[in-house]
Amino acid sequence: MSEQDDGTISTDGMSAPLANGEDTAPAAGLISQYVKDLSFENPNAPAIYQNQIAPAIDVQFNIASAQVGDDVYEIVLRIEVKAEAEGTVAFLVDLSYAGLFGLRNFPAEHLQPFLLAEAPRLIFPFARRVLADAIRDGGFPPLMLEPIDFGGAFMAQQESGDVMGTIGTA
């Protein structure tokens, strides 16, 4: 142990917590998550249920972030699914699933990677369940989406020079 110039005692070369109890370590927490918008369309029912061909499924996703308070950010994961068989739409689903995250003492260079990669990764399993349930409730087998590499998508977006507040697929 050694006493440092500022009066704190160091046991391993690191300073002890600040005397006034101030916590300066970065912290992130999920405050809440919720369905912001959900739309399910089954435009060709009941005829579509007679179709024996499995529909082709197209999935698109987009991520948006917005600061909604001091150290509070809303992340919206939007997933759009279109299922089509022989040129006939089986179903369309549009889900916007959001999470509120509290971020304290976050370094500026880590903010965007957290908001556009880590936060969506945390809420994705819940959005996937809502999506699967909506499709099942519409009379179709539930769609279980494979995990999405949000970190890889974020890095690809950064490499392409697009530094906007959203990422998505084409």
Side-chain angles (χ1 to χ4, degrees):
M1 281 198 301
S2 65
E3 187 169 333
Q4 298 183 9
D5 293 341
D6 64 358
T8 60
I9 297 176
S10 174
T11 57
D12 59 359
M14 303 290 289
S15 294
L18 299 175
N20 66 0
E22 182 179 353
D23 184 8
T24 59
L30 179 59
I31 299 168
S32 179
Q33 53 187 326
Y34 46 92
V35 173
K36 191 165 181 130
D37 186 32
L38 175 61
S39 170
F40 180 88
E41 295 178 40
N42 191 352
N44 294 300
I48 195 65
Y49 298 117
Q50 303 305 312
N51 195 334
Q52 298 299 316
I53 296 175
I57 309 269
D58 179 43
V59 179
Q60 304 290 318
F61 73 97
N62 190 308
I63 302 162
S65 68
Q67 187 168 5
V68 295
D70 290 341
D71 298 332
V72 178
Y73 295 83
E74 180 186 56
I75 305 306
V76 179
L77 174 58
R78 183 171 181 201
I79 304 171
E80 298 174 69
V81 179
K82 181 178 183 180
E84 214 170 17
E86 296 181 322
T88 303
V89 173
F91 62 84
L92 301 164
V93 184
D94 188 352
L95 170 65
S96 291
Y97 193 83
L100 283 180
F101 289 84
L103 304 177
R104 187 173 27 122
N105 301 323
F106 241 68
E109 67 273 11
H110 294 196
L111 187 60
Q112 199 171 33
F114 180 86
L115 295 175
L116 298 178
E118 184 62 15
R121 184 190 69 79
L122 293 171
I123 64 174
F124 175 74
F126 303 96
R128 178 173 64 182
R129 183 194 52 79
V130 169
L131 190 74
D133 287 352
I135 293 169
R136 184 202 63 224
D137 292 347
F140 298 93
L143 174 65
M144 292 307 295
L145 294 176
E146 293 294 321
I148 297 171
D149 180 8
F150 293 104
F154 175 76
M155 294 304 291
Q157 189 123 13
Q158 294 299 302
E159 289 173 8
S160 73
D162 186 0
V163 292
M164 302 302 283
T166 63
I167 64 173
T169 62

